[in-house]
Amino acid sequence: MKRIRINALTSDIIISIYVIVTLYFRFKLESKTAASPVESIIMGICFVVIIWALIKLKVLNPNWFGLFKSKKS
């Protein structure tokens, strides 16, 4: 079975949009409800784990917009 691999620039754009949307969602949800700091931290960790898993599974291949040198194999 062939794995889905997204190129570096597209991965960077997807991650940037994901971060902006999740931050907006968190701020909007927390302003409407009385969320405690612990709930906020847990929600943030869950959102980060999703991106981390996609990077570890090599679905997303971030290049961090060229800020770091890429490994040449």
Side-chain angles (χ1 to χ4, degrees):
M1 188 161 102
K2 190 174 180 180
R3 260 190 188 173
I4 297 174
R5 298 189 90 186
I6 300 173
N7 67 15
L9 181 61
T10 307
S11 293
D12 291 340
I13 293 170
I14 289 172
I15 291 171
S16 300
I17 291 171
Y18 179 81
V19 167
I20 291 168
V21 168
T22 56
L23 281 174
Y24 174 77
F25 175 73
R26 283 181 63 195
F27 289 142
K28 196 73 158 168
L29 181 69
E30 289 173 9
S31 68
K32 298 231 183 243
T33 63
S36 70
V38 174
E39 291 171 341
S40 176
I41 290 170
I42 290 172
M43 190 183 322
I45 289 171
C46 290
F47 286 139
V48 169
V49 166
I50 292 169
I51 286 292
W52 175 80
L54 289 172
I55 292 171
K56 280 299 196 185
L57 291 172
K58 304 279 188 198
V59 173
L60 293 175
N61 302 298
N63 188 20
W64 310 113
F65 293 107
L67 294 175
F68 302 109
K69 292 181 182 178
S70 62
K71 295 180 184 176
K72 293 182 180 180
S73 48

